[in-house]
Amino acid sequence: MRTGTGIVEKVYDNGLAKVQTNRNNLYTPCSDSMCDNNVVIDAVNTIGAQKGQFVKFNIPEDKVAVGGIMCFGMPLALIIIWGIFGYWFGNQYGYTSELTAFAGMVIGGLIGAFLLKRYERKINSNTTKIDIIEIIS
């Protein structure tokens, strides 16, 4: 488990809260906000933190390696494999090899994006979420 700090932006009735934190406090595979200084994350609010409070939270680190492979390795591998297939297809059937390789890379990228979205849905439905553990101020 890693520990981070942030400010509660919004509290929901279902026991969740939106917490704004510095991106250096957390690791999120496939983060949509890689270049932003601050990110907003969902956290389980079991201690009853209110909007505007500075809180400490735990970040589960299980599946970090799998997330890295799925987010970076898998799409790159698909682009390369489909590019090679496209190049081979162009050579075999008399098309311009460079164009069919490019088309194969585009197809591999689209398949990779589709698989990433499915993986993201699976991660977001996971029960291991970030937990608010302490109200600092």
Side-chain angles (χ1 to χ4, degrees):
M1 289 273 189
R2 291 183 59 180
T3 302
T5 57
I7 298 172
V8 177
E9 279 197 352
K10 190 170 186 178
V11 177
Y12 296 101
D13 292 334
N14 63 357
L16 293 178
K18 293 247 183 224
V19 178
Q20 181 178 1
T21 185
N22 188 302
R23 69 183 170 104
N24 296 329
N25 281 332
L26 86 139
Y27 169 82
T28 56
C30 308
S31 178
D32 292 333
S33 307
M34 277 194 231
C35 295
D36 291 341
N37 233 3
N38 293 314
V39 293
V40 177
I41 56 173
D42 291 330
V44 178
N45 186 13
T46 55
I47 63 171
Q50 298 298 315
K51 181 179 178 176
Q53 290 182 318
F54 193 63
V55 295
K56 186 186 286 188
F57 52 84
N58 279 338
I59 305 166
E61 288 187 308
D62 58 340
K63 301 179 184 133
V64 169
V66 173
I69 291 170
M70 285 298 293
C71 294
F72 303 109
M74 184 265 308
L76 182 61
L78 285 172
I79 290 170
I80 291 170
I81 291 168
W82 278 86
I84 292 169
F85 174 74
Y87 187 84
W88 173 82
F89 183 82
N91 275 339
Q92 291 289 47
Y93 295 102
Y95 297 108
T96 307
S97 300
E98 290 81 11
L99 291 177
T100 55
F102 180 71
M105 290 168 60
V106 169
I107 291 169
L110 292 173
I111 292 170
F114 172 76
L115 292 175
L116 277 179
K117 285 297 179 187
R118 291 191 50 99
Y119 179 69
E120 184 179 349
R121 260 189 243 128
K122 181 182 176 189
I123 287 176
N124 288 340
S125 67
N126 196 350
T127 57
T128 57
K129 298 245 185 218
I130 294 171
D131 290 319
I132 299 174
I133 56 170
E134 180 182 342
I135 299 172
I136 298 172
S137 63

